[in-house]
Amino acid sequence: MDDKNFNLDGTITIYYKNKMLLDEVQYKLLNLILTDGSIVNSQRELSLSRTKAMGLINRMNRLAPEIVVEFDKKKDESYMQVSDFGMKLLNSYAQKEFELYIFLKKGNAHLNSSFHHALKSRQGANSQVCAG
């Protein structure tokens, strides 16, 4: 029998001046840029069109106090690079995501153990009613 009836959940979102700067989608997009130097795989990996992906990048660059993604050209080929500030954002997000995971894991264990006895008592009472 699975005693994990209750679950806490949460996500990380980084705001700058009360405007959403980085959430899970932007985090994944920045990681794709970091590994590929482009957003080519964003459509397949994140179900984002090129226009939508570029809009998210431009929004981050506009809202952040420093450039998040830098654009450059080499031999008539454009590529993108996550800036030092963007790397700090990525690292901060990853750290907070890990901390949230630990918090939720402990919270779920505590939540379920808190109600474990009540659930067992109720199940026992239900079986007595059916037997009676």
Side-chain angles (χ1 to χ4, degrees), residues 97-110:
E97 192 172 50
F98 177 73
E99 291 171 9
L100 178 63
Y101 169 79
I102 298 299
F103 171 79
L104 292 175
K105 187 173 179 178
K106 288 179 181 178
N108 284 334
H110 181 265

Side-chain angles (χ1 to χ4, degrees), residues 38-52:
S38 72
I39 57 169
V40 173
N41 291 324
S42 66
Q43 189 167 13
R44 186 180 76 239
E45 299 282 331
L46 303 173
S47 299
L48 293 176
S49 68
R50 177 176 171 74
T51 304
K52 178 71 173 175

Side-chain angles (χ1 to χ4, degrees), residues 81-123:
Q81 181 175 320
V82 177
S83 69
D84 289 341
F85 181 79
M87 289 301 298
K88 288 178 187 176
L89 275 175
L90 281 173
N91 290 332
S92 294
Y93 187 96
Q95 178 65 36
K96 294 305 171 195
E97 192 172 50
F98 177 73
E99 291 171 9
L100 178 63
Y101 169 79
I102 298 299
F103 171 79
L104 292 175
K105 187 173 179 178
K106 288 179 181 178
N108 284 334
H110 181 265
L111 188 62
N112 282 287
S113 69
S114 295
F115 290 102
H116 177 74
H117 298 295
L119 291 171
K120 289 288 185 186
S121 297
R122 184 177 176 116
Q123 289 170 350

Side-chain angles (χ1 to χ4, degrees), residues 60-62 64-71 81-87 89:
M60 282 187 287
N61 278 344
R62 190 175 58 254
E66 295 181 32
I67 296 296
V68 177
V69 176
E70 299 168 337
F71 298 89
Q81 181 175 320
V82 177
S83 69
D84 289 341
F85 181 79
M87 289 301 298
L89 275 175

